Amino acid sequence: MKQKIAVLTGAGVSAESGIGTFRDSNGLWEQYRVEDVASIEGWRRNPGLVLDFYNARRRQLKTVKPNNAHRAIAELEEKYHVTVVTQNVDNLHERAGSTNVIHLHGELTKVRPVDCCNENDGFSEKQVFDIGYDEIHIGDLAPDGSQLRPHIVWFGEAVPKIEKAIDIVEAADIILIVGTSLQVYPAAGLYRYAKADAPIFIIDPKDVNVHDPNLTHIKDVATEGMASFRKLLSEREKNFE
Ligand code: OAD
């Protein structure tokens, strides 16, 4: 039986691929007002601006590649049962080879009709479809005749996959958190569902505000931090042999 690792990732894991984080200096939220481009109210006020913002994110995603941290996370699958629970809307975990990825905040390469559902009721996966790196504009309609919107969870909307993510964390033997400021709920509270004896590793170059007796903070960038984590993991494996 393989042990289970829940890997909880945020923008920091993709930083070394060239995608800026949100809250670091020069981060996205210094360049845009989050309430204008990433909230349901912003969409209702000015959907064209929101579409442009995500069109630009998709254009950028096309030009970047997974880094060694994404690859190291994918390689954990050789010895462990791994589920990646990411707040990221990019597809770099999948492109690095991770086979089991839950996107809490949606996916840049997917869209759905605005009328498919109430934002608090979740959505039917059947109505979600892939557009790759294409743009969408006002007037681009879904088969049901309604406007297409990005398949993104905005501020003010429910997070339909959170229950599944909680189940994953509750069942995990090891928790690994990479590159998230843990400021956005409910994702930020997920690690608290860990088993009492599950070790928690956090890779982040900044100080972290997590106080847990099981915590190991690897204070480094994601690529270097993953190399350190794998060393710690092989020492742990020797102790279990
Ligand atoms: P943040 O920008 O809030 O946090 C990024 C974290 O990554 C910080 O703790 C940084 O110290 C760390 N970091 C920076 N460079 C790193 C590197 N090279 N390696 C490892 N870590 C690094 O991003 P998130 O926590 O992911 O949601 O943000 C959460 C949510 O807020 C996003 O999903 C997005 C945003 O608003 C929505 O838009 C709905």
Side-chain angles (χ1 to χ4, degrees):
M1 264 279 278
K2 284 181 173 177
Q3 285 215 303
K4 297 189 177 81
I5 307 187
V7 186
L8 313 180
T9 67
V13 75
S14 297
E16 289 163 90
S17 290
I19 302 183
T21 62
F22 296 96
R23 294 177 182 80
D24 290 304
S25 55
N26 277 326
L28 265 185
W29 295 156
E30 275 186 6
Q31 300 161 51
Y32 298 89
R33 280 159 45 99
V34 55
E35 56 274 35
D36 287 344
V37 297
S39 79
I40 186 65
E41 292 81 17
W43 168 258
R44 289 188 185 124
R45 265 196 312 272
N46 190 346
L49 180 75
V50 176
L51 291 181
D52 284 348
F53 175 75
Y54 288 99
N55 286 339
R57 309 274 76 71
R58 242 177 261 114
R59 272 199 301 278
Q60 180 192 34
L61 182 55
K62 193 177 176 180
T63 67
V64 301
K65 293 197 175 81
N67 63 50
N68 282 342
H70 297 107
R71 278 189 280 276
I73 291 168
E75 284 164 14
L76 294 174
E77 292 186 22
E78 290 164 10
K79 287 195 181 162
Y80 294 86
H81 185 280
V82 181
T83 308
V84 178
V85 177
T86 187
Q87 294 168 79
N88 297 347
V89 297
D90 67 49
N91 56 7
L92 296 179
H93 283 300
E94 288 90 341
R95 282 162 59 192
S98 283
T99 58
N100 202 5
V101 185
I102 296 175
H103 285 272
L104 280 180
H105 293 164
E107 291 173 74
L108 260 183
T109 55
K110 293 183 178 171
V111 294
R112 65 177 198 260
V114 277
D115 290 347
C116 89
C117 43
N118 176 303
E119 62 262 18
N120 292 319
D121 293 342
F123 42 79
S124 157
E125 289 284 347
K126 272 188 267 174
Q127 290 175 289
V128 176
F129 56 94
D130 225 301
I131 54 157
Y133 304 104
D134 289 349
E135 301 197 351
I136 46 172
H137 299 278
I138 297 296
D140 288 343
L141 304 182
D144 71 357
S146 71
Q147 172 66 42
L148 285 173
R149 61 163 275 180
H151 183 51
I152 300 283
V153 175
W154 288 318
F155 287 97
E157 295 189 301
V159 180
K161 297 210 169 144
I162 195 69
E163 295 300 332
K164 189 160 182 220
I166 290 172
D167 291 346
I168 299 296
V169 173
E170 282 177 341
D173 301 297
I174 300 169
I175 311 290
L176 169 63
I177 303 173
V178 190
T180 168
S181 60
L182 295 172
Q183 287 194 39
V184 174
Y185 285 83
L190 269 178
Y191 75 87
R192 299 205 179 102
Y193 290 89
K195 285 184 208 164
D197 62 348
I200 300 175
F201 297 87
I202 299 190
I203 299 174
D204 199 298
K206 284 198 189 145
D207 288 337
V208 294
N209 191 20
V210 174
H211 305 283
D212 189 294
N214 295 338
L215 177 73
T216 304
H217 180 194
I218 301 171
K219 199 169 176 186
D220 213 333
V221 293
T223 51
E224 299 294 332
M226 275 308 296
S228 308
F229 172 72
R230 289 175 84 173
K231 281 194 196 126
L232 292 173
L233 208 52
S234 30
E235 281 163 25
R236 193 174 179 273
E237 284 158 15
K238 279 187 209 132
N239 293 337
F240 273 92
E241 272 166 16

